[in-house]
Amino acid sequence: MLKVRNLTRHFGGLTAVRNVNLDVEDTCIFGILGPNGAGKTTLFNLLSGIFPCSAGEIYFNGQQVHGHAAHRIARLGIGRTFQIVRPFSELTVMQNVLAAIGAKLGESLPVLLREYDRSPYTDAARALLELTGLGEHENEIAKNLPLGMLRRLEIARALGLEPQLLLLDESFSGLSHLEVEAQVELVRRLRSQGTGILLIEHNMQVAMNLCERIAVLDHGEKIAEGSPAEIVGNQQVIEAYLGRDYDA
């Protein structure tokens, strides 16, 4: 589904991502791990078109997407969430999802809310809210939701674009144990319904239990890739997370 070749991004004299290669299969749950500052979110920003690539290539379903604007990449089928949740804070939960459903058709936000606040669009939005456990909160103002619900709202809104590949940027961060369990089940359900998942995660237990394949970044470079069992025993990964003097 996703092929990345020699992806690189410079910010002045700093190289945030350097020569990263990835192959993400259809409906796979693929994890991106690494310490703070490893380049994980920059990688997501490149894949979703928020930053242009300094070098390298990105192909999605065989189509070149590097150089495309973020809205065009989203319409091609790559959705994403953000590490810092970014809802339309003054809109309702339902309106947030309606905005995404309408955005797939290229409308401005005022037009979205005027034209799409009716069936069948509300039916589609309601189905996504039920899927993400927000069905009872559709009329609440987004800014009033606790963090766990906001993270689910971000996923529901991203799903409004009908993505084939969903990029989740630390969607488990700040959640309680029960919320993490519910989020894990949601991600598995999305995969079973045909959505590929590429996720950034710091919680090693979540990553090891959820991901089928993992790549690890350190200082912008991919230092390891493999199954969870291969990653957990990789000496370079241990050193990146725990320091080179750590004795496994």
Side-chain angles (χ1 to χ4, degrees), residues 58-113:
I58 306 169
Y59 295 92
F60 180 63
N61 287 330
Q63 180 175 350
Q64 173 189 319
V65 298
H66 51 278
H68 289 356
H71 69 274
R72 186 176 177 189
I73 291 175
R75 288 176 195 156
L76 288 172
I78 298 179
R80 73 164 295 178
T81 67
F82 292 86
Q83 184 177 351
I84 299 174
V85 290
R86 300 175 180 180
F88 297 115
S89 59
E90 300 297 330
L91 300 183
T92 67
V93 169
M94 169 66 80
Q95 288 172 327
N96 267 266
V97 180
L98 286 173
I101 291 173
K104 187 174 178 64
L105 304 177
E107 302 288 0
S108 66
L109 185 58
V111 172
L112 298 177
L113 298 180

Side-chain angles (χ1 to χ4, degrees), residues 10-33:
H10 304 297
F11 293 98
L14 172 68
T15 301
V17 172
R18 184 191 303 273
N19 295 327
V20 170
N21 295 286
L22 293 173
D23 289 287
V24 180
E25 301 292 335
D26 293 0
T27 66
C28 176
I29 301 178
F30 195 114
I32 304 293
L33 274 62

Side-chain angles (χ1 to χ4, degrees), residues 116-220:
Y116 297 97
D117 191 13
R118 55 189 170 84
S119 204
Y121 306 108
T122 51
D123 293 341
R126 195 162 285 121
L128 293 177
L129 293 177
E130 290 293 336
L131 174 65
T132 53
L134 293 171
E136 297 180 357
H137 306 277
E138 66 175 63
N139 294 317
E140 293 187 33
I141 302 299
K143 68 179 181 181
N144 296 330
L145 296 180
L147 178 61
M149 289 185 184
L150 283 173
R151 292 210 179 277
R152 280 184 273 154
L153 177 58
E154 281 242 309
I155 294 175
R157 192 172 59 174
L159 292 173
L161 294 168
E162 299 181 349
Q164 292 176 267
L165 178 64
L166 183 59
L167 313 183
L168 300 179
D169 193 348
E170 296 196 30
S171 291
F172 296 86
S173 178
L175 303 186
S176 69
H177 177 71
L178 290 178
E179 288 172 330
V180 166
E181 289 184 342
Q183 199 87 308
V184 165
E185 289 307 310
L186 172 59
V187 170
R188 286 176 173 155
R189 193 177 311 127
L190 293 176
R191 190 273 303 274
S192 71
Q193 294 177 356
T195 304
I197 306 290
L198 186 62
L199 62 88
I200 293 171
E201 186 48 50
H202 278 293
N203 186 321
M204 291 291 285
Q205 183 176 1
V206 168
M208 294 300 154
N209 290 335
L210 184 58
C211 298
E212 296 151 312
R213 193 159 186 84
I214 293 171
V216 182
L217 301 185
D218 188 30
H219 295 96

